[in-house]
Amino acid sequence: MPIEKRTRPAYLGRRVRGMLMVGMFGAKTDELRALAAEFTGEGEMLQGVPGITDPEIECREMWIGPDAEAFRADWSAGPSTQLTELGTVLGQIARELQAQADEQDECSSPGGGAGLTSMSAFGDIVGSGIGHGAGRSIGDVMKMGLPEGPGMTGGPGITLDDVLADDSPNDRRDLWTQLPEAERERILAEEPERVANVDGIPFEDRARANQAVAEDILADGGRGLSEDRLKVVEKVASGELKVVLFDPAKGDIVQMVGTPSENTDKVIIFAPPTGGRFEDFNTRHYFGHVDHLHSMHPDSVAFIYQRGDWAQKVAPPFGEADRYANDPTVAINNGKQIASFHHDALGSDPRLANASKAGIGFSYGHSALTASEMFGAKYDHIVSLAGSNMPEGWTPNPDTKYANVQHSNDMLNVAQKPWPLSEVLYGSSPDRSKTYEQYDAGKFKGDKPMVDFKVEYGEKGFGWIKVPTIENADVDFEFRNHDGAEAHAHITKTDDSNAFARDSIEEFLYRKK
């Protein structure tokens, strides 16, 4: 989502640290005394804070329960005492400043002494006076986190606007976690749409925000969405689907299968085929390998990545569409989107930093997945699940292992054979690439009857390539639709009828080093 550039808040403590990070003030004693007076005032203010806040925090009428008692104990043992100590230290520094000013005046008079000493003495004052003794600076105290509770702030002055204004997903995550828990909870309940799809916001919080967005859509009567699309919205609202990108109007959705943790050892991005739709997240008819892998390896996390501008048809001969898989710009665009998610969303989660990265692309999804490599996405393993061609200009990453899994009579094999049908697609084919380990699931044979169809060759366009004319020739092709077309769909199954493909993918991803 577009993010407005804003100036970061000035954090509490910079001004104080700036005052102290001076080696020597010189002879301007009026400035020393003015600074001493300011430190005295600030110290007295800090010492007075517990007298105001302690009674409010101890008031049982405002907040009761185990969390309240834990907060009160933390406050009393930490910030309440530390604020008083800090006020005392500032008072000591003020007195030292005053003494230094007096000494300088004396030294500047006729017959005076050696001059103003350095400010290093303040380090001794600060180091010996705060929080159970030595070693703490004023900067340390100013950076101490306060416990979270009603009305408390996290990082001083940080707001949601500051979080969203930062250009870096990593910084956004850091700022978000500095917000107090109560404020994060309020945002997820009252302003979920502002953080639901923002890279850098932790995935669990994005999923909760999108669940709230889905609830709002249903509460608003569906906002004009189709019945099939609303079935997906209902599953998101119920929590059955956890999604970290969610825009039903555009058709954008990314489902998270599993939950990131320090134990996450593998992250998988699954890219759907030509014609992949938002509505498919209701039927899930080709997501089987993702669900199977997670059931076998629950520490893994997978993301099923679907955008509304995915390829709709293979090429013009296969029907009218806004976007065709044989148009190289479509896969390039989807590849950029995947690469951005890979870098900004996955890359900003420290729990996933050391996890192995894998991609599974079914049919056209393989083209989009390999296109993402052209924009910096890096994978340890890529699986072509009956995948279509790699984009022109793609080169394999020497640190990535590649595999192609499909039936030998998959219809896409025919489309990617030499002229004329290969002209429908582009690039190089995974089933013929030496870079890819080949896992042949065998010839799929169905039980449907033979079907004949006729193709007329003429001076007509097939996608971006003109097919040469074969004059006065009608060519008949005999075709078992269940053996060819259904073989393509069957490779996504995970029951025993497709055990070879199912087990080969698991072996390749989890045991192939």
Side-chain angles (χ1 to χ4, degrees), residues 1 160 164 187-198 208-210 212-213 216 223 246:
M1 61 179 288
L160 178 58
L164 300 180
I187 292 167
L188 294 176
E190 299 178 9
E191 303 179 89
E193 68 286 345
R194 296 189 66 191
V195 297
N197 298 328
V198 177
R208 287 183 57 198
N210 278 311
V213 169
D216 290 342
R223 299 179 185 173
F246 185 62

Side-chain angles (χ1 to χ4, degrees), residues 200-230:
I201 303 298
F203 286 120
E204 298 93 323
D205 289 341
R206 287 175 67 166
R208 287 183 57 198
N210 278 311
Q211 183 175 2
V213 169
E215 292 170 353
D216 290 342
I217 291 173
L218 297 177
D220 289 345
R223 299 179 185 173
L225 297 173
S226 69
E227 182 178 346
D228 286 342
R229 195 156 288 196
L230 283 174

